[in-house]
Structure formats: C-alpha cells, structure tokens
Amino acid sequence: MHFAHPDFLWTLLILVPLIVWYILKQRDSYATMALSTTAPFAALPRTWKQYLRHLLFALRLATLACLIIVMARPQQRDSWRTTSTEGTDIVLALDVSSSMLARDFKPDRFEAAKEVATKFIAGRESDNIGIVIFAGESLTGVPMTVDISQLLSYLQNLSMGMLEDGTAIGDGIATSLNRLKEGKAKSKSIILLTDGSNNTGIVAPVTAAEVAKELGVKIYTIGVGTNGNAPYPVRTLTGRIEFESQPVVIDEGTLKTIAETTGGKYFRATGNRVLNDIFEEIDKLEKTQMDVRHFSHTEDNYMMWAWLALGLFTLELLLRFTVLRTIP
C-alpha cells in the first residue's frame, strides 16, 4: 500500500499525549463520599462495566487514527513491466555565424534551426544530449545532460553575436567529440548544422571526421540554405543591418565527406519544412530502443478507512448513551 500524502501519518503521534492525558485524568475522575470507614465496600466485586468504560476512549482514538489515514490517502498501485532501454549520446552542433541570419528561412535560418532543434530535443527524453555552438570559434553551450528543461532553456535564450564571426566546422566537431567522451552510451552521434564553408579554426573538418570515426561517433551533417540566391545580412557604413541578395555557397563536398567517413548521412535543407523533415528522419535513425513500455495503475483505497472511522464513532456513541452511560 502506498500513500499520496504520507506526511500526514506523522499526525498519529498526537495519540501519545492524548493517552497520557487520559491516564492522568483517570486519577481524579472517581466520585468521593465522606464515610467513617470503607471496609464494607472492600469485598465488593468489580463489574464488567468498570473495565469497559476505557473502551470509549480507545474507540475515540481508533476513530481519530482512521481519519488521519484517510487524509494520507492510501492507494493501491498495480505495476508490472519488463523494460530494456539503451540511451543514446547526442551532441547538437549549431552554426551561429552571422550568415545564419539570412532570410531564405522564416523568420531566418537561425530561428528556424532553433525551432526544429527544440522539437527534436523535446522528444528525446531517454537520451544524454549536449549542445555546442560554433562560428569563428567553438563553445560548449550545454554539457551532456538528460535534463531536457535545461537544454530547451538554453536554446530559447541562445542569440547571435556570442562568438567571433566565421565558420570553424572542424573546431565545432572537435568540441563535440570532447563532450561525447563524457557519455557512457554505446551509440554516439553528432548533428552538425551549418550554412557555409569552413574558413577558419584550428582543426580541419576532414581531420575531425577521421577522429570521430576512430571513436565510433556518427556525424549527421545538415547544409542549410536555399538553392540560388538568398537575402544575407550586410552591415552598412552607418552601422545598420540591411539584406542583400547573394549566392548561397555551401561546401557540400566537405559535409558529405564528413558524414560518409563516420557512417552518418548528409542532408540539404532548402526551407523550413525540409529542415523539419530532416530532423524527423535523424530522430528515427537514432531512436532509443525500448522493449516494453511502462504500465502502472493507481487507485485510491481510503473508503475502507473512512467507513471504519464512521463505524467506530457510531459504536462509541451507542455505548456512551446506553450500556456505558454514566450518571451524572
């Protein structure tokens, strides 16, 4: 048996001082009468009513105890399951360079990527996930964790301009691999999302992919950008941001090589809907396996105690005003 509010059971301790109070009270509860001698009464036998009069107090305590148990809400729980779950370690590496503000996605590439990443993470409750951001350098946003609320909160508050501008794809992979070392799952993968070509950083992307292969880490690469031209942000001489149509240039060759080297897969996202479909496909490829789902049934079981309390209280009243009635 389980209790929904087990703390109420501590209230049963109130029965102890009540018992002490009752014992002390009994010392002074006998009627007195002035007599020259009590010798004639010494041989009188005690009746059964003298012993049963304490039953009234016992019934009152039992009633109180039952009411306390009712407040604690006893529950009957039926649960049977045989579950075998193997979690997956995933690092989400997001490009946060200024080109991610291009508006060939709605409202832009950056916000579209955050939206689908949020949906992806929200559906991976059994996995150990980390977030790495990269531009001209790379940074661990969230270390490996199963705390989905922490991951979603970071994505919600993630903004542009946190790193030096540029696209260091190799460094982003290297930082992601360092985070995956902390994980203990057999399956490890990186989802790398970028909209450009590697133009800075210390580690070459292909070199990072070779290291990932040796560590048994799959890399799913996503090239973000429409075909043709897209409105890119350009800072004017006055400091204002304007959008100019420029050709979309993504180093698909390098991204394909990274994916193929590690046993992953390359995707090209040309719009919001396609990007969403890509994450759904990756979600299926790296889905956590569960043999048997959990099943449990909880049902309140306090009515028995409520009826028992009512019965004890009724019995006490009947005895108090009938066979165990006191005068006066």
Side-chain angles (χ1 to χ4, degrees), residues 93-112:
L94 296 177
D95 187 345
V96 294
S97 58
S98 60
S99 59
M100 286 290 289
L101 292 175
R103 293 183 175 177
D104 48 348
F105 286 65
K106 295 181 180 180
D108 53 46
R109 295 174 181 175
F110 180 66
E111 292 298 329

Side-chain angles (χ1 to χ4, degrees), residues 186-204:
K186 294 181 181 179
S187 175
K188 300 177 184 292
S189 57
I190 298 172
I191 302 175
L192 185 140
L193 186 148
T194 183
D195 68 342
S197 305
N198 189 80
N199 54 27
T200 186
I202 301 173
V203 182

Side-chain angles (χ1 to χ4, degrees), residues 8-9 12 30 65 86 100 112 119 131 156 161-162 176 180 208 217-218 220 250 254 257 262 267 275 283 291 306:
F8 274 110
L9 296 178
L12 290 172
Y30 296 99
E86 183 180 344
M100 286 290 289
K119 182 179 177 182
I131 297 177
Q156 183 180 2
M162 299 178 64
S176 300
L180 284 171
V217 177
K218 294 181 181 179
Y220 297 96
I250 300 176
T254 298
T257 300
T262 61
F267 302 91
L275 182 60
D283 183 53
D291 296 336

